[in-house]
Amino acid sequence: MLPEMREKAVHTCSDCRYLVRIQGREEVRWGCMAGLPKYGMLERRVPPEIHALDILKMAGREGLQAVLACSHPDNPACGLFRPRI
């Protein structure tokens, strides 16, 4: 994202409550939990960090790949944006 466009963006993914740190065996990545049913509908509180194994148990390998696909904190927020409290 260009520096002059950064001021024009109202919200970024880093301001969203769905963006969490996903702890794997050897590395930590960011991921968007809005695509998972229990977290997207706010049935469960979205934790600040979650283990990749928990996502694998809940949504499978495809679910984990979908969560990690939206992993850029500087991207403009999507339509599912909820401010971090």
Side-chain angles (χ1 to χ4, degrees), residues 1-15 72-78 81:
M1 182 181 259
L2 297 172
E4 53 271 359
M5 295 297 290
R6 190 172 297 230
E7 288 109 28
K8 292 181 182 178
V10 177
H11 297 290
T12 59
C13 286
S14 62
D15 300 328
H72 304 289
D74 291 332
N75 281 354
C78 66
F81 175 79

Side-chain angles (χ1 to χ4, degrees), residues 21-42:
R21 292 172 42 127
I22 299 173
Q23 175 70 43
R25 285 186 196 162
E26 299 177 0
E27 66 180 310
V28 176
R29 291 189 183 181
W30 291 97
C32 181
M33 301 291 282
L36 297 179
K38 294 197 182 230
Y39 291 110
M41 302 301 274
L42 294 177

